[in-house]
Amino acid sequence: MSKKPWLEKLAYFIEPHLSAREVKAFLLANFTRLSEKANSTGGSEFEICRLRHLLGALGWIKADEALHPDHLYTALDLTEAQDWVARLPDGHCLRGGVLVPGIGKFLDRLDEQGLAAERVDEEAERLLKHIETRRQKSITRFTEEMSARENLKERIDVSIFLSRYARRHSDLRFINTAFKLNEWLVREYRAIKKAGLEAAFLLALAEQESSAQEWMA
Amino acid sequence: MIRVVLLAPIDNSLYARLVAFQLRQEREVQLAGIVVRSTLNLKRALNEYRRDGARLLRKFVEKGVRGDKRFAGSAGENLAQLAERRELPFRSLRKLAAEYNIPYQVVSDHNNKRSRAFLETIDPDLVVFTGGGLIKPEVLSIPRIGILNCHTGILPKFRGMDVVEWTAAEGLVNEIGFGVTLHLMDQGVDTGAIIKRERIEFENLRGFEPIRENLEVRMVNLMVEGVRAFVNHTATPRLQKKEEGRQYFVMHPRIREYAKLMLLKQSKAH
């Protein structure tokens, strides 16, 4: 038990974190709203279907249908991911705090197929360190010019990769970092909604909770 | 005679004071200098905030403001008790340095020009690091033997931050255990050659704070033993392999709660 609860409260005030209950409430409230919105432009069919599937698997909503095979894996072409790795400058997707666009989605695609395992593991470790040392300033500088929307998408994709990587490799450190990254992103939720990335971000949270549940249920 | 310089994070660091005081009593050891990082330092505060987040506030209040009083109410073995047993008379490193005529320098960063110049002038055989940020290669290369650091975890397995909690979260309390590792610093995070490790018995320690306080006491002893080993030429540094361990980072509160449960579970099983 903390000897100084007032200190913990002050620290929480400066840097609030989301409890499991708060994440669940946030996810459900926004998923419900997104689902009810007619002609929702908040995300792709893949994102919404996978989100529904994960929330069902978590036991948070009733979702009887199994996930369609097309929605099991990301829709990225595997060749595209392999080409991306082959084109990496110096063989790294992150150097001096500057990232190559697509880092989250491509590393995830390769990892889910078990391809370029050693390379993916090495880059995942570097990405982890990058986020943990640069914190809110992480995943903001890229080798190409990027719009605000694209930047948000990159950060969301990285978050999804971290959660899935944690699950696939039983590495709690990656969930630890996903928690932090998603908390920073939640503060930008208005911008995320405006950019039409709502489903993507809710999916990132659902992936986080799916991984968390494996350890902390 | 081995010449040693001590690097400290703040002037009233109890850990640093105890190490300095102990080293002064060692034969064949000359405490040739003390370098302290300035506390009221905006750049330092920003850098540490970037690394630790809001936890920095707790660290500042506990170590910076409360100092030795932070152990009041603590039941287990801790640095304040050790200070009492050893009859440590100094409330600050500045006072200790003044009493023993030890060159004393305050710097904003252990890696800056002033710090390097001070170290180069003294030309130590060994530096003992008691905190104050990462050390860069330009400083690592100054002492003849190297820079000793005591890590509050068992290396090589658990490198980085919050390793007491991570040991529990990873379910390795019984397999790896809690302890301290004395090692030479290199450019990596807790990757330098291991000099000595010491595990602690934790069954009677309820929670991470008592464990950490117990480890801090071991750190003082291990640091002094390490210096002694170099004096006696009995130190046998063992190189670490990168793949033998992982780097851990500041633990999120949700994982910390999980780590607490895991500690309880593993303590019962012990």
Side-chain angles (χ1 to χ4, degrees):
Chain A
M1 196 185 292
S2 170
K3 285 195 255 189
K4 287 278 174 286
W6 63 266
L7 200 48
E8 305 302 331
K9 282 181 185 166
L10 186 56
Y12 182 86
F13 177 76
I14 294 168
E15 198 171 64
H17 64 266
L18 291 171
S19 66
R21 194 178 299 169
E22 285 166 329
V23 172
K24 181 179 177 181
F26 181 91
L27 254 173
L28 289 177
N30 287 289
F31 172 72
T32 305
R33 191 179 42 75
L34 193 69
S35 307
E36 286 167 359
K37 245 164 61 173
N39 303 315
S40 168
T41 52
S44 68
E45 189 193 338
F46 168 82
E47 285 162 348
I48 292 171
C49 287
R50 188 164 170 88
L51 176 56
R52 182 177 294 119
H53 168 76
L54 286 175
L55 293 177
L58 282 164
W60 293 357
I61 62 168
K62 193 163 182 277
D64 296 328
E65 331 74 73
L67 194 63
H68 191 282
D70 287 349
H71 298 138
L72 276 170
Y73 298 116
T74 47
L76 283 179
D77 187 84
L78 199 51
T79 320
E80 202 185 336
Q82 288 170 310
D83 287 345
W84 177 84
V85 165
R87 283 196 316 267
L88 288 175
D90 306 323
H92 292 302
C93 51
L94 161 59
R95 199 169 198 82
V98 180
L99 297 90
V100 175
I103 183 171
K105 65 183 182 188
F106 288 126
L107 285 180
D108 186 41
R109 187 73 175 109
L110 292 165
D111 191 52
E112 77 184 0
Q113 295 296 315
L115 295 171
E118 217 174 283
R119 171 71 72 80
V120 170
D121 289 345
E122 192 188 327
E123 297 303 315
E125 198 69 33
R126 295 172 87 236
L127 184 57
L128 193 75
K129 191 169 180 175
H130 165 77
I131 299 168
E132 288 286 355
T133 50
R134 306 214 184 200
R135 292 162 52 83
Q136 289 96 327
K137 289 207 165 114
S138 64
I139 324 172
T140 50
R141 290 164 61 210
F142 289 84
T143 53
E144 293 165 21
E145 278 287 323
M146 208 166 263
S147 67
R149 184 190 187 277
E150 285 166 331
N151 185 271
L152 275 172
K153 185 67 169 60
E154 288 285 347
R155 286 150 72 196
I156 291 169
D157 285 345
V158 165
S159 164
I160 291 172
F161 167 62
L162 293 176
S163 295
R164 291 185 188 161
Y165 188 90
R167 210 153 60 233
R168 288 179 204 129
H169 298 264
S170 300
D171 195 331
L172 201 48
R173 298 175 306 149
F174 284 81
I175 274 294
N176 187 56
T177 306
F179 280 149
K180 296 173 194 177
L181 182 54
N182 285 330
E183 279 170 2
W184 300 328
L185 282 167
V186 152
R187 290 176 209 163
E188 298 181 67
Y189 195 57
R190 196 176 285 177
I192 287 172
K193 272 164 60 177
K194 204 172 168 189
L197 294 172
E198 202 172 356
F201 179 58
L202 294 179
L203 179 59
L205 282 179
E207 295 281 4
Q208 167 193 290
E209 293 305 307
S210 290
S211 294
Q213 199 178 64
E214 294 218 1
W215 273 285
M216 294 178 243
Chain B
M1 180 70 74
I2 200 168
R3 286 163 61 78
V4 177
V5 167
L6 181 136
L7 301 185
I10 49 175
D11 190 50
N12 69 341
S13 162
L14 184 50
Y15 169 48
R17 279 184 279 142
L18 279 162
V19 170
F21 186 60
Q22 291 292 121
L23 287 178
R24 268 284 309 168
Q25 292 164 56
E26 288 288 307
R27 288 174 57 192
E28 306 297 323
V29 174
Q30 181 197 359
L31 186 55
I34 294 174
V35 186
V36 171
R37 278 193 80 178
S38 54
T39 316
L40 297 173
N41 178 338
L42 185 62
K43 192 175 173 188
R44 178 182 181 178
L46 287 171
N47 283 337
E48 292 195 14
Y49 180 74
R50 264 186 223 119
R51 186 193 66 192
D52 295 341
R55 279 176 15 152
L56 176 64
L57 182 67
R58 185 183 186 178
K59 201 172 153 185
F60 176 74
V61 169
E62 292 290 312
K63 292 187 176 178
V65 175
R66 297 195 76 219
D68 300 359
K69 291 191 186 124
R70 74 184 188 275
F71 294 107
S74 174
E77 204 180 353
N78 58 58
L79 288 178
Q81 289 179 357
L82 181 64
E84 209 176 295
R85 280 205 304 275
R86 301 272 161 92
E87 295 177 341
L88 175 71
F90 304 105
R91 288 187 167 278
S92 71
L93 286 163
R94 183 185 288 274
K95 287 192 172 134
L96 184 150
E99 175 68 22
Y100 297 128
N101 242 350
I102 298 169
Y104 173 90
Q105 181 70 64
V106 177
V107 296
S108 56
D109 186 330
H110 282 312
N111 299 296
N112 71 10
K113 267 191 213 165
R114 183 179 284 195
S115 177
R116 291 198 317 265
F118 182 81
L119 286 169
E120 279 159 3
T121 304
I122 294 182
D123 190 26
D125 298 299
L126 197 57
V127 167
V128 296
F129 178 77
T130 62
L134 290 173
I135 301 296
K136 292 191 176 158
E138 309 87 84
V139 175
L140 288 172
S141 60
I142 296 174
R144 182 180 58 82
I145 298 168
I147 300 186
L148 279 176
N149 176 53
C150 220
H151 174 66
T152 52
I154 296 295
L155 292 175
K157 189 80 181 165
F158 288 98
R159 297 169 179 145
M161 307 283 293
D162 288 351
V163 289
V164 173
E165 288 83 353
W166 279 111
T167 304
E170 296 280 38
L172 294 174
V173 163
N174 296 308
E175 192 181 319
I176 303 288
F178 298 114
V180 290
T181 305
L182 185 71
H183 66 100
L184 286 164
M185 293 177 84
D186 67 5
Q187 287 183 56
V189 174
D190 301 319
T191 50
I194 294 169
I195 309 298
K196 211 172 179 200
R197 292 185 303 199
E198 187 184 322
R199 285 178 172 77
I200 63 165
E201 297 295 320
F202 62 91
E203 294 75 27
N204 298 326
L205 300 172
R206 298 276 173 259
F208 294 124
E209 254 178 71
I211 290 171
R212 193 168 268 112
E213 286 173 3
N214 193 291
L215 290 173
E216 286 171 349
V217 172
R218 300 286 172 266
M219 281 166 67
V220 174
N221 298 330
L222 205 64
M223 185 67 92
V224 175
E225 280 171 32
V227 173
R228 211 180 280 148
F230 280 103
V231 168
N232 298 332
H233 306 286
T234 55
T236 48
R238 186 217 121 185
L239 292 174
Q240 295 186 53
K241 289 184 195 147
K242 188 179 169 186
E243 60 273 16
E244 285 180 305
R246 296 202 284 206
Q247 186 176 352
Y248 289 84
F249 300 94
V250 171
M251 194 177 254
H252 187 275
R254 279 181 70 178
I255 308 261
R256 191 178 291 270
E257 286 307 307
Y258 170 72
K260 279 184 196 165
L261 292 171
M262 286 294 285
L263 177 65
L264 203 59
K265 200 169 152 186
Q266 291 165 90
S267 298
K268 282 181 182 162
H270 190 79

